[in-house]
Amino acid sequence: MTREDFDAYCASLKSVTHVVQWGDASVWKVGGKIFAICSDWGPSTSDDDEHPKISFKCSDLSYDILRRQDGIVPAPYLARAKWVQVQNPDAMSDDDLRGYIDDAHALISAKLTKAKRAELEL
């Protein structure tokens, strides 16, 4: 998934906002809380490492499963909060990645207050 594809997909989700911060990272939020990031953070996985690295919030079970797969690692700075980073574009299909981004959006939305969810129509 390219950064443009990532941004377009995240923009299609309900009640999201977008900022570019932290050294040109594309940061997506719902209710002011981050659910997905596309950046250049993390170690290179090859000599030709021009692809983006996508990080997202996971459920406890998804975190335990995904962090054990080749090309996916606990996300830098966010691992303790159960985030993973897809470092290799071949580690996960775009369809699976979209599904995990949907899940991340839902996980973060569920943590918002009832009033905030009502305000955002979530």
Side-chain angles (χ1 to χ4, degrees):
M1 179 177 284
T2 66
R3 181 174 175 151
E4 293 78 21
D5 293 337
F6 170 82
D7 285 339
Y9 188 73
C10 289
S12 74
L13 300 175
K14 189 166 181 135
S15 302
V16 297
T17 57
H18 176 249
V19 295
V20 175
Q21 61 189 62
W22 303 322
D24 200 35
S26 184
V27 179
W28 287 90
K29 303 177 182 184
V30 58
K33 307 287 185 188
I34 302 169
F35 69 91
I37 302 169
C38 185
S39 70
D40 295 326
W41 306 339
S44 296
T45 56
S46 69
D47 291 336
D48 182 27
D49 197 13
E50 296 297 319
H51 60 82
K53 295 175 180 76
I54 297 174
S55 302
F56 51 86
K57 172 75 173 154
C58 303
S59 69
D60 291 350
L61 179 60
S62 292
Y63 178 78
D64 285 340
I65 293 168
L66 291 174
R67 68 188 175 98
R68 298 172 197 272
Q69 294 183 9
D70 289 338
I72 302 174
V73 298
Y77 312 108
L78 299 166
R80 68 179 179 84
K82 306 293 189 203
W83 280 64
V84 295
Q85 183 181 74
V86 180
Q87 293 189 326
N88 183 328
D90 297 328
M92 184 181 293
S93 72
D94 287 358
D95 285 340
D96 286 344
L97 192 50
R98 283 188 286 272
Y100 280 109
I101 291 169
D102 287 343
D103 291 347
H105 180 271
L107 284 166
I108 297 301
S109 295
K111 291 184 177 202
L112 300 173
T113 65
K114 189 174 182 179
K116 188 67 168 178
R117 287 194 309 270
E119 174 189 328
L120 296 174
E121 299 179 359
L122 293 171

